[in-house]
Amino acid sequence: MKKTFYLCLLGASLSTGLFAQTQEETVEAIVKEATENSQLKLLAHQLLDVVGPRLVGSPEMKHAHDWAVETYSDWGIDAENQQWGVWKGWDRGITHIDLVSPRRVSLEGMQLAWSPATKSKGVEAEVVVLPEAKDSVSFKNMLSQVAGKFVLVSMPQPTGRPDDNWEEWATPESFEKMKKDRDALNDTWNARIKATGHSSRELPKILEEAGAVGVITSNWSRGFGVNKVFSAYTEEIPMVDIALEDYGLLYRLADYGDKPVIKVVAESEELGEQPTFNTIAQIKGSEKPEEYVILSAHFDSWDGGQGATDNGTGTLVMMEAMRILKQVYPNPKRTILVGHWGSEEQGLNGSRSFVKDHPEIVAGVQAVFNQDNGTGRVANISGNGFLNAYDYLGRWLNAVPDEVASIETHFPGAPGRGGSDYASFVAAGAPAFNLSSLSWNYWNYTWHTNRDTYDKIVWDDVQNNAILTAVLAYMASEDDEKTSRDQIVLPVNKRTGEQMTWPEPRDGNRRGGLDD
């Protein structure tokens, strides 16, 4: 069933008793506090500008956890960092990448996460393209060509313009020709990788063992100047990502025989085994303290940018909602708890560990509200396979002022199996819902990229989401009824012909990047 709420039914859906008046006044107070005393920009400055990106195991991640606890304490909200595991510690430091021959220019790029460092003076060497071999035996015989060299291992993109730019300005024939040529180049490059006998993930280590001094990638994200920045696969030599524009320059110079030389200074530092945390804060319930409304957002990020929209904005929403609730609803019926999860990006590890470690909280969950897909206004909520979610989510959504949101709902929906931390709770049978937002070109421009920065935040939308979250938390806390956990009967998988089953809870990886 698909149903759209336009959230204009407040007056019609409520009785005229004292509770209705109190409820309406509380919602108005939430809106007033959010709009007249917003702390969003201050919080964003402190988290994104001062702390910065929050790679699990990094000093910035620990700084962020400590800052959150201090901030909640300043608001009079109990908070603590709960350790759930350990992770490979790494401090990015500064990366300099310069072309020094045949001309001199600084290039845009950075180390990939957990990349080995260079020596303090850096490493200077020629850049070559990954050898092109007919098969794995031939490739093995050609590996001596990479010794003492930086190796380009990504396909050179034929254009740095996104497709929508081509579609707007090119002739239809030119646009189609570009796409056809790009597809052919992609097929050729994939064949080149396949002929090595190794996957793209395995190749950096093979090149390292063959004596390469560094590996260069360019993971373009189909937008102007934007690359995705993930982790390194080398153990001794640096692995860096270079922006499409500069990567193309290096590739053309190498391909035409101009023997480009670059110098890389990568000042990262390995820190050994580091503790990793979830930050947990709560406003204790006055009537049903062992039942929980949970606000959820992952705290960690990849570190190509500032982690602003993934998931800085989700973090800001949950912190601001908690601040507002403490001001206007300081004695909730149920406990309102917020979880800022660690290491979501490596597999929901913080939230999975929390679910595993706190079965008593999971058993008492009234609802979980999670936000984690960019800066846009929340526009969609799924019932996640909970049979009666329509009943209680419908009641709560009807209290949200119509100027705040128009939300499309999908009931009963299907259980989320990954993607963000709500899935950790769904797998344990707790009613958990993702507050899914409008795109704002999230996937191309800010999701895991070097452009996920403060300037991409849309403040009106984030404020909207803080109000929505605070109202939903208030309504879930006040509801006279405990939410149902009844689940739908899942359909038969069309591909396998077998009955689908509810996802199973999984523990987090509690020793990330560390040898056992």
Side-chain angles (χ1 to χ4, degrees):
M1 176 182 180
K2 177 179 175 181
K3 181 176 176 63
T4 301
F5 281 92
Y6 291 101
L7 308 183
C8 59
L9 305 177
L10 180 59
S13 65
L14 301 175
S15 69
T16 58
L18 179 62
F19 173 71
Q21 184 180 7
T22 303
Q23 178 178 301
E24 186 172 352
E25 289 176 348
T26 302
V27 171
E28 289 176 354
I30 288 171
V31 174
K32 181 180 176 67
E33 177 65 24
T35 55
E36 297 184 6
N37 191 34
S38 173
Q39 300 297 299
L40 287 170
K41 290 186 178 180
L42 175 60
L43 293 171
H45 166 67
Q46 293 172 338
L47 178 62
L48 305 177
D49 292 338
V50 178
V51 174
R54 301 160 304 282
L55 182 73
V56 60
S58 70
E60 291 83 3
M61 185 76 257
K62 182 59 166 61
H63 185 185
H65 284 299
D66 292 342
W67 166 80
V69 169
E70 182 179 354
T71 301
Y72 279 120
S73 298
D74 288 345
W75 293 339
I77 298 174
D78 292 336
E80 64 176 345
N81 292 327
Q82 296 182 357
Q83 183 178 348
W84 52 266
V86 291
W87 212 268
K88 179 181 180 179
W90 186 78
D91 188 6
R92 169 173 290 282
I94 294 172
T95 306
H96 291 290
I97 307 173
D98 301 305
L99 176 67
V100 297
S101 179
R103 61 187 178 90
R104 295 167 62 86
V105 62
S106 292
L107 306 179
E108 181 184 359
M110 64 179 66
Q111 288 179 277
L112 295 174
W114 299 293
S115 168
T118 64
K119 294 181 180 180
S120 60
K121 292 184 179 181
V123 57
E124 185 174 314
E126 182 184 345
V127 176
V128 298
V129 179
L130 178 73
E132 184 173 14
K134 64 180 181 180
D135 55 34
S136 60
V137 174
S138 175
F139 178 73
K140 186 175 181 179
N141 292 333
M142 299 171 74
L143 275 174
S144 60
Q145 298 175 16
V146 308
K149 307 291 197 307
F150 285 100
V151 187
L152 301 166
V153 297
S154 296
M155 184 187 90
Q157 294 292 336
T159 178
R161 295 181 180 275
D163 282 7
D164 58 1
N165 190 251
W166 275 84
E167 192 168 19
E168 181 177 3
W169 298 107
T171 65
E173 294 80 10
S174 179
F175 184 31
E176 289 304 314
K177 180 177 183 298
M178 184 280 292
K179 290 192 291 184
K180 182 177 179 181
D181 290 346
R182 186 174 61 193
D183 288 344
L185 181 59
N186 188 62
D187 290 342
T188 299
W189 190 262
N190 287 340
R192 188 176 193 143
I193 298 294
K194 185 177 180 180
T196 69
H198 304 284
S199 69
S200 295
R201 183 165 184 159
E202 294 168 338
L203 267 176
K205 181 60 179 171
I206 299 299
L207 297 171
E208 180 178 55
E209 292 172 349
V213 298
V215 176
I216 303 173
T217 69
S218 186
N219 190 3
W220 189 45
S221 190
R222 300 296 181 97
F224 282 116
V226 58
N227 272 27
K228 298 196 184 299
V229 181
F230 293 110
S231 56
Y233 301 125
T234 52
E235 295 180 7
E236 301 293 338
I237 63 174
M239 188 168 178
V240 300
D241 185 270
I242 293 182
L244 177 150
E245 296 84 353
D246 288 336
Y247 186 89
L249 167 64
L250 293 178
Y251 193 97
R252 292 188 299 274
L253 289 170
D255 195 40
Y256 278 97
D258 295 296
K259 296 184 180 297
V261 175
I262 64 172
K263 180 178 180 179
V264 175
V265 179
E267 299 179 349
S268 60
E269 181 182 1
E270 294 189 8
L271 303 176
E273 182 177 297
Q274 296 293 313
T276 188
F277 305 92
N278 296 318
T279 295
I280 306 298
Q282 59 182 326
I283 306 171
K284 202 70 174 175
S286 58
E287 296 182 28
K288 299 182 177 182
E290 295 181 357
E291 294 184 12
Y292 295 85
V293 177
I294 297 181
L295 308 188
S296 168
H298 75 84
F299 211 14
D300 65 307
S301 74
W302 287 105
D303 65 343
Q306 292 171 290
T309 70
D310 186 20
N311 187 30
T313 46
T315 298
L316 298 178
V317 163
M318 299 308 159
M319 293 189 75
E320 178 74 344
M322 288 292 284
R323 184 193 68 80
I324 292 167
L325 290 165
K326 180 64 175 178
Q327 287 292 315
V328 306
Y329 183 55
N331 298 300
K333 179 182 291 187
R334 294 175 172 89
T335 296
I336 301 177
L337 180 150
V338 62
H340 299 287
W341 316 115
S343 188
E344 184 269 355
E345 297 292 6
Q346 290 72 42
L348 315 186
N349 294 305
S351 58
R352 281 175 169 166
S353 298
F354 180 87
V355 167
K356 175 76 172 179
D357 294 343
H358 296 281
E360 77 289 353
I361 292 178
V362 175
V365 164
Q366 173 79 340
V368 177
F369 301 111
N370 182 78
Q371 213 273 314
D372 173 28
N373 69 320
T375 189
R377 293 166 68 92
V378 171
N380 186 286
I381 299 176
S382 167
N384 265 330
F386 291 99
L387 185 62
N388 301 302
Y390 170 87
D391 297 330
Y392 48 86
L393 279 175
R395 290 196 300 270
W396 305 340
L397 285 167
N398 279 338
V400 180
D402 56 358
E403 67 269 19
V404 171
S406 174
I407 297 178
E408 187 175 83
T409 58
H410 299 263
F411 293 116
R417 296 176 182 274
S420 193
D421 294 294
Y422 70 94
S424 301
F425 292 88
V426 169
F433 309 100
N434 198 44
L435 307 179
S436 183
S437 65
L438 298 173
S439 169
W440 284 93
N441 294 109
Y442 174 69
W443 297 107
N444 284 2
Y445 276 96
T446 61
W447 182 69
H448 300 166
T449 76
N450 57 333
R451 296 294 184 261
D452 189 8
T453 48
Y454 182 104
D455 56 288
K456 308 307 187 305
I457 298 173
V458 181
W459 296 106
D460 288 345
D461 283 15
V462 177
Q463 179 175 279
N464 172 90
N465 295 345
I467 294 170
L468 171 67
T469 301
V471 173
L472 288 175
Y474 161 66
M475 291 297 295
S477 173
E478 284 293 309
D479 201 315
D480 290 336
E481 299 180 18
K482 183 74 162 59
T483 52
S484 166
R485 299 190 173 205
D486 292 347
Q487 301 168 1
I488 63 169
V489 176
L490 295 174
V492 171
N493 186 309
K494 293 181 180 180
R495 182 176 59 85
T496 65
E498 297 179 356
Q499 183 77 39
M500 297 176 66
T501 59
W502 198 264
E504 294 288 333
R506 294 171 54 188
D507 198 2
N509 177 3
R510 302 197 188 230
R511 289 187 54 82
L514 298 167
D515 294 329
D516 293 328

